[in-house]
C-alpha cells in the first residue's frame, strides 16, 4: 500500500479495536451489575426468609410441646390462618365507603330533621402572612408572636388575635359532622354488640371462663367466630384510616394507642388462636360504647335530660364492665386459668401485656368519667361531651363588640376620681346613677 493508505488502514483497524473493547467493557459492566443485583436480590430473599422463619417459630406462638405440625387443617377441622387477616384491609375500605354513604344519605338529613344546627362562624379575612404562620408554625401564637405579626401586617394586635380565633374556628368540626360521626359509631356498635351476643350466647366459655382453655390451642375455628373477628378488626382498621379526618378529642393520643393495641391484640389473638378470650374482650368493650354514642347524639340535639340520663347509664356500664368484669373475666382468666393448661411462653406474656395496656387506658378514661360524674352531681347537668373535644370554646362575638366600643369610648366610663364622681361631659354624682341587678351601672 502507499504510505497514506497504509496509515488510514492502521487507523481504521485501531478505531475498530477500540470500539470493540468499549463494547466488551460495557457488556462486562452490565453483566457484573446484573450479577451483583441478582446477588442482592438473593441476599434480600434469604434475609426475608430468615426473618419469616424466626417470626413464626412455634415457641413464640404456641405452648410448649405444640408445633405447627399439630395445627394442620383437614377437611372437617379449620384453624385460624395468619393470611386471613389480610382480608380485613379491603373490608375496612368497604366500611369507609359505607360510612361516607351513611353519613351523607342518612345522618346529615337526620340531623336537620332533629334540629341540629351548625353555628354560623365568621370567616377569617385572607391574609397570606398570618396564613403562613398559622399553617407552618403555630395555630395559637403567643403574645410575642402576636406583636411581631401585628407590626408585620400593620394591624392592631387585637385584630390579629381575632383573626387567629376565627381561623381556628374554621378548622373546627361542625356540629352536624360530630352528630354524623356519632350516628355511624352508634349504628356499628349496636350491630357489633348484637352480633357478639348472637355468636356467643350458646358458647360454653361465655358462662364458664375456664372453657376458654379447654383443648387449647387445638380449638377449631367456627365460621361465625371468623366473621365476627373480621367485622371487629375491619372496623378498627377503618378508624385508623379515617383518624386524620375524624373529630379530634382531648384523648386523641390515647385513641391512637387504643386503636394500635386493639389491632395488635385482635391480630395476635387470631394467629395464636386466642379466639375465645378475644371474643369476650370485644363484647365487653362494645357494651359500654352502645351507650356512649347516643349520649353524644342527644347532647348535640340539646336534649339535656335525656342526655344526662344516658350519661349516668353509660358511666355505670363503663365502670362496671371495664373495671370489674374485664379484669376478672379477661385479665384474671388469661393470667391464672390458662396456667392450669400450659406453662408460660412468649405468647402468654405478650397477650397479657396488650391486655394490661387496654386496662391502663380503661383506668385513664374511668378517671375522666368519674370527674364528670362528680361535676354532674354538683352542678346537676353535664356541660361537655364525653371525652370532650380538643376544640376551644367559641368566644362571644358580643363581648368583642362591647370591648371594641369600650375601646372607642362609646360606652366606657372615663376617669374615676378620688371624690367618687364619674366624669363624663361634666361631672355627675355617683348617687345619680341607678345600678342594674347584675352590677353594671347605667345612666338614668
Amino acid at each position: 500500500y502507499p504510505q497514506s493508505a497504509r496509515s488510514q488502514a492502521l487507523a481504521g483497524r485501531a478505531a475498530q479495536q477500540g470500539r470493540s473493547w468499549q463494547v466488551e467493557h460495557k457488556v462486562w459492566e452490565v453483566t457484573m451489575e446484573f450479577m451483583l443485583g441478582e446477588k442482592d436480590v438473593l441476599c434480600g430473599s434469604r434475609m426475608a426468609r430468615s426473618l419469616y422463619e424466626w417470626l413464626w417459630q412455634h415457641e413464640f406462638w404456641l405452648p410448649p410441646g405444640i408445633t405447627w405440625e399439630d395445627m394442620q387443617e383437614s377437611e372437617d377441622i379449620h384453624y385460624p390462618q395468619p393470611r386471613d387477616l389480610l382480608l380485613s384491609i379491603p373490608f375496612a375500605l368497604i366500611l369507609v365507603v359505607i360510612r361516607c354513604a351513611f353519613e351523607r344519605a342518612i345522618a346529615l338529613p337526620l340531623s336537620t330533621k332533629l334540629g341540629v344546627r351548625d353555628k354560623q362562624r365568621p370567616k377569617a379575612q385572607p391574609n397570606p402572612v398570618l396564613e403562613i404562620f398559622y399553617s407552618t408554625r403555630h395555630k395559637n401564637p403567643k403574645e410575642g408572636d402576636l406583636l411581631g405579626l401585628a407590626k408585620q401586617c400593620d394591624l392592631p394586635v387585637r385584630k390579629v388575635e381575632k383573626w387567629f380565633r376565627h381561623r381556628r374556628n374554621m378548622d373546627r368540626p361542625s356540629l352536624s359532622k360530630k352528630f354524623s360521626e356519632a350516628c355511624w359509631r352508634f349504628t356499628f356498635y349496636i350491630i357489633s354488640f348484637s352480633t357478639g351476643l348472637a355468636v356467643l350466647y350458646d358458647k360454653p366459655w361465655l358462662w364458664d371462663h375456664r372453657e376458654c382453655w379447654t383443648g387449647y390451642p387445638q380449638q377449631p375455628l367456627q365460621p361465625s367466630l371468623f366473621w365476627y373477628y373480621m367485622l371487629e378488626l375491619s372496623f378498627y382498621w377503618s378508624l385508623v384510616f379515617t383518624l386524620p379526618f375524624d373529630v379530634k378529642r382531648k384523648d386523641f393520643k390515647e385513641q391512637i394507642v387504643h386503636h394500635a393495641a386493639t389491632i395488635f391484640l385482635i391480630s395476635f389473638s387470631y394467629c395464636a388462636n386466642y379466639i375465645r378470650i378475644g371474643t369476650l374482650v370485644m363484647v365487653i368493650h362494645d357494651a359500654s360504647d352502645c351507650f356512649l354514642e347516643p349520649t353524644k347524639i342527644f347532647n348535640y340535639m340539646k336534649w339535656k335530660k335525656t342526655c344526662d340520663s344516658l350519661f349516668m347509664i353509660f358511666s355505670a356500664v363503663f365502670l362496671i364492665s371495664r373495671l370489674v368484669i374485664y379484669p376478672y373475666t379477661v385479665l384474671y382468666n388469661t393470667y391464672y386459668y390458662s396456667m392450669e393448661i400450659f406453662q408460660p411462653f412468649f405468647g402468654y406474656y405478650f397477650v397479657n401485656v396488650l391486655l394490661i395496656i387496654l386496662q391502663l387506658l380503661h383506668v385513664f378514661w374511668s378517671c375522666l368519667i368519674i370527674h364528670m360524674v362528680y361535676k354532674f352531681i354538683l352542678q346537676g347537668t353535664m356541660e361537655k361531651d364525653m371525652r370532650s373535644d380538643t376544640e376551644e370554646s367559641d368566644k362571644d362575638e358580643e363581648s368583642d363588640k362591647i370591648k371594641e366600643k369600650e375601646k372607642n369610648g362609646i360606652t366606657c366610663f372615663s376617669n374615676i376620681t378620688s371624690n367618687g364622681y364619674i366624669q363624663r361631659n361634666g361631672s355627675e354624682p355617683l348617687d345619680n346613677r341607678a345600678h342594674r341587678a347584675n352590677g353594671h351601672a347605667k345612666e338614668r
Side-chain angles (χ1 to χ4, degrees), residues 205-253:
W205 62 85
L206 180 63
W207 315 105
D208 184 4
H209 305 319
R210 281 187 170 87
E211 289 293 328
C212 290
W213 312 108
T214 301
Y216 179 83
Q218 295 171 311
Q219 297 172 339
L221 176 63
Q222 302 177 16
S224 59
L225 298 178
F226 168 79
W227 289 111
Y228 182 44
Y229 249 74
M230 286 298 106
L231 177 66
E232 291 281 351
L233 184 58
S234 301
F235 175 71
Y236 282 102
W237 272 121
S238 70
L239 292 183
V240 172
F241 296 157
T242 59
L243 200 59
F245 313 103
D246 289 341
V247 177
K248 291 181 175 59
R249 307 182 185 278
K250 286 184 178 180
D251 58 349
F252 178 74
K253 295 180 180 179

Side-chain angles (χ1 to χ4, degrees), residues 151-391:
K151 291 181 180 178
Q152 190 175 357
C153 298
D154 194 19
L155 293 173
V157 177
R158 180 169 181 78
K159 287 191 175 181
V160 175
E161 184 181 6
K162 187 175 182 179
W163 186 94
F164 275 95
R165 184 172 71 251
H166 289 171
R167 184 65 181 84
R168 288 192 297 268
N169 289 342
M170 289 172 60
D171 287 344
R172 288 174 53 189
S174 62
L175 200 61
S176 59
K177 176 177 174 58
K178 294 190 286 186
F179 179 89
S180 301
E181 181 180 317
C183 284
W184 163 251
R185 297 197 182 197
F186 173 64
T187 303
F188 177 84
Y189 287 134
I190 285 293
I191 294 174
S192 177
F193 184 63
S194 302
T195 302
L197 293 180
V199 169
L200 295 178
Y201 83 97
D202 60 342
K203 302 299 186 293
W205 62 85
L206 180 63
W207 315 105
D208 184 4
H209 305 319
R210 281 187 170 87
E211 289 293 328
C212 290
W213 312 108
T214 301
Y216 179 83
Q218 295 171 311
Q219 297 172 339
L221 176 63
Q222 302 177 16
S224 59
L225 298 178
F226 168 79
W227 289 111
Y228 182 44
Y229 249 74
M230 286 298 106
L231 177 66
E232 291 281 351
L233 184 58
S234 301
F235 175 71
Y236 282 102
W237 272 121
S238 70
L239 292 183
V240 172
F241 296 157
T242 59
L243 200 59
F245 313 103
D246 289 341
V247 177
K248 291 181 175 59
R249 307 182 185 278
K250 286 184 178 180
D251 58 349
F252 178 74
K253 295 180 180 179
E254 289 77 10
Q255 284 284 353
I256 296 176
V257 176
H258 174 268
H259 295 341
T262 303
I263 290 173
F264 275 117
L265 181 60
I266 294 176
S267 302
F268 179 82
S269 64
Y270 186 85
C271 295
N273 206 11
Y274 283 107
I275 299 293
R276 297 184 179 183
I277 199 71
T279 54
L280 295 179
V281 173
M282 293 187 293
V283 167
I284 291 172
H285 280 71
D286 291 341
S288 58
D289 290 334
C290 291
F291 294 97
L292 171 62
E293 302 305 328
T295 302
K296 296 179 184 179
I297 291 173
F298 285 109
N299 186 38
Y300 302 147
M301 294 168 55
K302 302 187 183 305
W303 292 19
K304 289 299 182 181
K305 292 184 178 180
T306 307
C307 174
D308 294 342
S309 302
L310 284 174
F311 166 67
M312 297 304 295
I313 296 174
F314 161 76
S315 302
V317 174
F318 186 95
L319 296 176
I320 293 174
S321 62
R322 305 293 180 92
L323 299 184
V324 179
I325 298 177
Y326 178 85
Y328 173 73
T329 304
V330 177
L331 291 181
Y332 185 76
N333 185 12
T334 307
Y335 177 79
Y336 181 75
Y337 287 156
S338 61
M339 299 288 289
E340 299 177 356
I341 307 298
F342 53 80
Q343 296 297 319
F345 63 105
F346 176 81
Y348 166 83
Y349 295 112
F350 187 71
V351 74
N352 275 282
V353 167
L354 291 177
L355 293 174
I356 290 174
I357 290 176
L358 285 183
Q359 182 59 29
L360 293 177
L361 292 172
H362 296 164
V363 173
F364 169 78
W365 284 315
S366 297
C367 292
L368 295 180
I369 291 173
I370 292 173
H371 178 69
M372 293 187 68
V373 171
Y374 176 74
K375 292 183 65 176
F376 175 80
I377 294 174
L378 291 181
Q379 300 177 2
T381 184
M382 185 178 64
E383 292 185 348
K384 295 181 180 180
D385 183 14
M386 295 300 305
R387 296 182 290 184
S388 56
D389 304 346
T390 55
E391 57 184 281

Side-chain angles (χ1 to χ4, degrees), residues 60-120:
F60 291 167
W61 301 88
L62 302 174
I66 303 294
T67 63
W68 292 116
E69 285 74 15
D70 300 323
M71 302 293 294
Q72 294 295 327
E73 293 186 329
S74 63
E75 295 182 359
D76 301 328
I77 299 177
H78 298 278
Y79 295 112
Q81 300 296 325
R83 63 177 178 271
D84 298 340
L85 298 177
L86 296 176
L87 294 174
S88 62
I89 303 299
F91 288 162
L93 297 177
I94 293 174
L95 282 179
V96 172
V97 174
I98 294 175
R99 172 183 175 175
C100 294
F102 174 86
E103 290 183 354
R104 290 190 178 186
I106 298 178
L108 282 177
L110 183 62
S111 66
T112 303
K113 291 184 178 181
L114 294 178
V116 178
R117 297 288 185 269
D118 293 332
K119 186 176 180 180
Q120 297 296 327

